[in-house]
Amino acid sequence: MRQRRTFPRLLGSLLLAAGLAGLGLTGATGATGAPRAEALRPLGAIVPAPASVTPGGAPYTLTRATAVRVDADGTGDTDGRATRDIGRYLADLLRPSTGYPLPVVDADEARGGILLRLSPGATALGEEGYELRSGRTGVTLTAYRPAGLFRAVQTLRQQLPAAVEKRTVQPGPWRIAGGTVTDTPRYAYRGAMLDVSRHFFTVDQVKRYIDQLALYKINKLHLHLSDDQGWRIAIDSWPRLATYGGSTQVGGGPGGFYTKDDYREIVRYAASRYQEVVPEIDLPGHTNAALASYAELNCDGVAPPLYTGTAVGFSSLCVPKEITYDFVDDVIRELAALTPGRYLHIGGDEAHSTSHADYVAFMDRVQPIVAKYGKTVIGWHQLTGARPAEGALAQYWGLDRSSAAEKEQVAAAARAGTGIILSPADRAYLDMKYTKDTELGLSWAGYVEAQRSYDWDPATLLPGLPATAVAGVEAPLWTETISQSVHIDRMAFPRLPGIAELGWSPATTHDWATYRLRLAQQGPRLTALGIDYYRSPQVPWAAE
Ligand code: NGO
């Protein structure tokens, strides 16, 4: 690969300031009184910030004659299917607003236009990296692997005016600034979690969120599939889990569950957006829905009623009973068989009604079951109080004000080899209220405004944590107060893009003062996508 220039903070700020001044902000009117077309977005003024940007040369302008060309003789996509699918995805994104035909063709059937190519030589780009080159005659997206091309498409999309996201024909012009972006992610794990247990969300609602996550290069979709208030995945060997345990939700609504085909459809759709589904069955606490469905899982043999409140920490599987492990084995076997991804999340948080000794004994038995079915364990960071299996990841959800001892327990596990996913609740939890006036959400971890959620460094958050132990970041969205897509939109945006940037962009680009300007330009794009985001007063939102 060619020499790369990193995007130093000062240069970045200057370019951005100059570029944003030139943007002239949509909605302003020119001398004639007509709305001024959005000026050219400076190369790299996107979210997440790219690793390396070299602006220069003439922009490329999409026209009615533009073709999307695919060249798929590359590594890992010998029949060209993945590359062609990404080309189609791109054309589908651009057609409604541009009104152009944008045929998807083999690379040698046309010239110029937008070329998507896999290059077997571009190993330095890794799984998800890409290069975007834009000039007068065309745009070329190059990657080593299909996932890299998919990420490149998101960059190209964000370089175009926000109106490109609309579903009706818009005036244009559709220009992409000239130059080269070379980009690889800082962390391999960049997740978003959706709690479908407290409130159930349909397959279509999950797909909507997947599409939103794709725009910010998220690559893991963690589904919190079971909790006290609802069991959301069909398990053939224990059918009442879903049919009875899934029959309600917080507040007493009808709940719901995914059939195995529903779940496969979510997995397939996520994969088409290069997101790996990480299913979670929360154990041994947060299990009231299961305990209510099968009396024999309870130590006293009596099934509790279904639960529709929001308290935590009151339920536990019966650690001494053998049937508990038959149950866990069956559930993990069936879920692992449905899940092509590497991970299986076993919860492990707030097991307040399980003794420490029982908790450790339980985790000693359950982690090998996950391994037996070919998956890698993820647990909430309380797992570090037991004996995390080799290769396991622990998901840290503590706070600035968490005790030094709790933080050290996690850091020590990391030094002993456990990988860490960072989801500090007072930064990364999307269900925390922004301010005291936020209608939705909780506030037990504090208020989390846009700046607070962005302004931390995954590498230094936990004292004594080796930088190499950080697998990445994840933004969880718990849904005690959230029951509709518009609620998801309002809580995830604008914080989700910030967490996504922490996961993707090099530490050298981390700077709130310049980030907020790039974020401000996302406003009209989110609106064009139909996302009614929280207008944080900390961000100088671009006019719409
Ligand atoms: C905690 C708790 C969840 C709540 C959430 C609400 C974890 C890991 N366990 O996070 O059950 O839904 O807070 O913010």
Side-chain angles (χ1 to χ4, degrees):
M1 206 175 50
R2 289 165 319 100
Q3 260 245 291
R4 291 173 51 177
R5 189 145 67 80
T6 45
F7 194 17
R9 184 180 294 183
L10 182 62
L11 177 62
S13 323
L14 289 175
L15 282 173
L16 195 65
L20 290 174
L23 270 172
L25 301 186
T26 36
T29 50
T32 60
R36 193 188 291 154
E38 187 182 34
L40 198 57
R41 179 174 305 275
L43 196 70
I46 62 168
V47 178
S52 159
V53 179
T54 311
Y60 175 67
T61 306
L62 252 73
T63 70
R64 187 159 292 285
T66 298
V68 175
R69 301 162 55 215
V70 297
D71 175 358
D73 299 333
T75 319
D77 188 26
T78 38
D79 63 358
R81 252 235 311 262
T83 307
R84 185 165 290 274
D85 284 350
I86 295 166
R88 288 204 191 100
Y89 166 89
L90 172 62
D92 286 346
L93 277 176
L94 304 181
R95 279 187 198 119
S97 53
T98 61
Y100 300 153
L102 295 165
V104 179
V105 302
D106 279 334
D108 48 20
E109 284 174 32
R111 301 185 54 167
I114 302 172
L115 173 64
L116 275 61
R117 57 185 278 267
L118 286 182
S119 165
T123 52
L125 294 173
E127 256 317 290
E128 294 186 279
Y130 66 91
E131 182 193 80
L132 177 153
R133 273 168 174 272
S134 171
R136 196 181 48 76
T137 56
V139 178
T140 301
L141 310 180
T142 306
Y144 176 58
R145 301 278 293 140
L149 279 182
F150 188 81
R151 307 298 174 228
V153 160
Q154 305 308 324
T155 294
L156 180 139
R157 179 180 174 189
Q158 284 197 27
Q159 288 297 150
L160 287 163
V164 81
E165 308 293 351
K166 296 192 179 167
R167 304 286 86 187
T168 53
V169 178
Q170 305 296 314
W174 308 108
R175 294 189 299 161
I176 298 161
T180 303
V181 173
T182 309
D183 201 10
T184 53
R186 181 180 184 188
Y187 294 115
Y189 193 112
R190 304 182 310 281
M193 187 205 82
L194 184 63
D195 169 9
V196 295
S197 176
R198 270 55 178 273
H199 281 98
F200 181 65
F201 292 87
T202 63
V203 173
D204 283 342
Q205 287 175 310
V206 175
K207 286 182 177 177
R208 174 181 161 88
Y209 199 40
I210 289 171
D211 277 328
Q212 295 172 353
L213 300 174
L215 178 58
Y216 297 102
K217 302 188 170 79
I218 291 290
N219 70 355
K220 303 282 182 279
L221 175 70
H222 170 184
L223 290 176
H224 185 76
L225 289 169
S226 71
D227 212 302
D228 293 320
Q229 298 86 347
W231 186 284
R232 306 299 181 203
I233 178 74
I235 299 294
D236 297 335
S237 48
W238 297 76
R240 268 174 65 81
L241 291 171
T243 56
Y244 182 69
S247 67
T248 191
Q249 59 188 6
V250 168
F257 65 90
Y258 305 122
T259 64
K260 288 193 168 179
D261 278 345
D262 288 340
Y263 181 84
R264 287 190 192 99
E265 176 59 13
I266 292 174
V267 166
R268 185 202 63 77
Y269 197 80
S272 77
R273 271 67 177 150
Y274 292 86
Q275 292 167 31
E276 179 177 350
V277 171
V278 178
E280 177 185 355
I281 297 295
D282 203 345
L283 305 168
H286 290 276
T287 42
N288 189 77
L291 296 166
S293 305
Y294 289 96
E296 59 268 42
L297 292 177
N298 296 269
C299 281
D300 62 4
V302 179
L306 292 169
Y307 181 69
T308 59
T310 58
V312 295
F314 60 88
S315 56
S316 179
L317 290 176
C318 186
V319 174
K321 264 192 174 177
E322 264 318 293
I323 192 174
T324 295
Y325 305 95
D326 297 339
F327 164 77
V328 170
D329 193 291
D330 286 337
V331 168
I332 290 178
R333 173 172 44 77
E334 292 193 32
L335 191 55
L338 285 173
T339 304
R342 276 159 285 188
Y343 302 107
L344 210 143
H345 200 308
I346 55 172
D349 56 321
E350 298 174 318
H352 302 322
S353 31
T354 312
S355 71
H356 179 68
D358 273 0
Y359 182 82
V360 174
F362 180 83
M363 287 303 179
D364 279 350
R365 286 200 64 178
V366 167
Q367 294 182 92
I369 299 175
V370 175
K372 179 170 82 173
Y373 294 115
K375 301 299 176 191
T376 297
V377 167
I378 304 183
W380 297 105
H381 76 258
Q382 283 70 23
L383 179 64
T384 61
R387 290 182 275 256
E390 211 183 310
L393 301 181
Q395 184 167 7
Y396 177 72
W397 59 286
L399 317 173
D400 281 0
R401 63 166 193 269
S402 292
S403 72
E406 183 171 3
K407 292 177 183 169
E408 174 51 24
Q409 175 186 297
V410 177
R415 292 193 296 270
T418 299
I420 306 297
I421 299 164
L422 290 158
S423 301
D426 54 353
R427 308 270 184 182
Y429 269 29
L430 301 177
D431 59 314
M432 288 303 121
K433 290 178 183 288
Y434 294 96
T435 71
K436 68 174 180 17
D437 297 324
T438 308
E439 257 175 66
L440 301 164
L442 306 175
S443 56
W444 67 265
Y447 301 122
V448 183
E449 249 289 7
Q451 178 171 4
R452 182 167 177 81
S453 78
Y454 167 84
D455 227 350
W456 58 284
D457 179 5
T460 58
L461 183 84
L462 275 178
L465 187 74
T468 51
V470 179
V473 296
E474 185 174 291
L477 180 49
W478 301 97
T479 59
E480 285 93 334
T481 65
I482 286 154
S483 58
Q484 302 172 26
S485 285
V486 289
H487 299 164
I488 298 179
D489 295 359
R490 178 55 69 96
M491 299 308 274
F493 296 97
R495 290 178 293 196
L496 185 276
I499 303 297
E501 171 143 332
L502 290 178
W504 181 280
S505 305
T508 50
T509 63
H510 187 246
D511 174 39
W512 168 251
T514 48
Y515 171 70
R516 69 197 272 272
L517 302 180
R518 272 183 293 115
L519 180 60
Q521 295 300 324
Q522 296 292 311
R525 186 170 304 271
L526 294 173
T527 299
L529 286 165
I531 298 173
D532 185 16
Y533 60 97
Y534 165 62
R535 268 71 172 174
S536 166
Q538 299 178 329
V539 180
W541 297 108
E544 308 200 341

